[in-house]
Amino acid sequence: MRKAKGTRQRWWRWRRNPLRRHADIVEAWIVLAVWTVIVLGGTLVGLVTAHAADESFAQLRRERHSVPAVLVEGTAEAVPTAKGAASERVRAQVRWTASDGSTRRGRTLVDSEHQAGSKVVIWLNNRRQLTAEPPTAGAAAFEAALFGTGAALTFGGLTYAAGRLAQWRLDQGRCEQWGREWDQAGLQWGRKAT
């Protein structure tokens, strides 16, 4: 017994058919081009974005270095400004010795619940200014992957939207053509009926 054919046939736009219009062929090429660009372009955009983000985070790790410091004020009663992985962080006044031997002071984020005079670790950039701790290699890799995925999805979404817009325009053209053909057919039917 033969298997019944389903109503949906794959690749129907590519098959020879006397009812196939030029717009059907154009639509088939648009669909093929859109999905090719989404897969290949999205992958490329995602990889390039992830690589650029990873390089940026690596640059931060190269430019920043840790320095021992002493808390000038206690942090037990300070209001937390950021949540870290292990504890809450607060902005507090610290004192450290610069590479030239001079004593410096500034405000930076440190772990909460410390007394004045406690030793903490602060981070300085290449210009010897207080800065935030750079992301670890693992955190940087995770964030780079998120950025890459986001860029790939955004690129794919924009490409898909452009393809749908082109298909919508083709549909509008087909509807206009169909209307013209119905008008012609109506005139012919009108002559036959009278």
Side-chain angles (χ1 to χ4, degrees), residues 28-182:
W29 281 107
I30 288 172
V31 169
L32 180 66
V34 164
W35 284 108
T36 301
V37 169
I38 285 174
V39 170
L40 298 178
T43 302
L44 182 64
V45 166
L47 289 174
V48 168
T49 303
H51 179 70
D54 197 40
E55 282 296 314
S56 175
F57 293 137
Q59 180 73 21
L60 286 178
R61 286 192 301 276
R62 286 191 296 271
E63 290 176 352
R64 297 177 182 183
H65 59 281
S66 61
V67 174
V70 176
L71 275 175
V72 175
E73 59 189 17
T75 60
E77 294 165 11
V79 176
T81 58
K83 291 197 179 215
S87 64
E88 294 181 346
R89 313 259 300 161
V90 295
R91 190 165 292 282
Q93 183 84 19
V94 294
R95 180 181 66 238
W96 73 97
T97 303
S99 57
D100 61 2
S102 62
T103 301
R104 304 275 172 94
R105 286 180 175 239
R107 293 185 73 77
T108 189
L109 288 176
V110 295
D111 291 337
S112 63
E113 303 296 327
H114 287 291
Q115 301 297 324
S118 299
K119 294 186 191 257
V120 294
V121 175
I122 61 171
W123 290 85
L124 301 176
N125 61 18
N126 286 342
R127 296 180 301 242
R128 297 184 193 100
Q129 297 170 332
L130 287 169
T131 188
E133 179 180 359
T136 64
F142 179 73
E143 285 187 47
L146 282 179
F147 286 143
T149 302
L153 290 174
T154 301
F155 179 82
L158 290 173
T159 303
Y160 182 76
R164 291 300 294 166
L165 181 65
Q167 284 181 304
W168 175 79
R169 184 62 195 116
L170 280 173
D171 286 342
Q172 294 300 314
R174 283 190 281 242
C175 285
E176 291 169 6
Q177 181 184 3
W178 188 37
R180 287 189 302 271
E181 289 171 358
W182 271 108

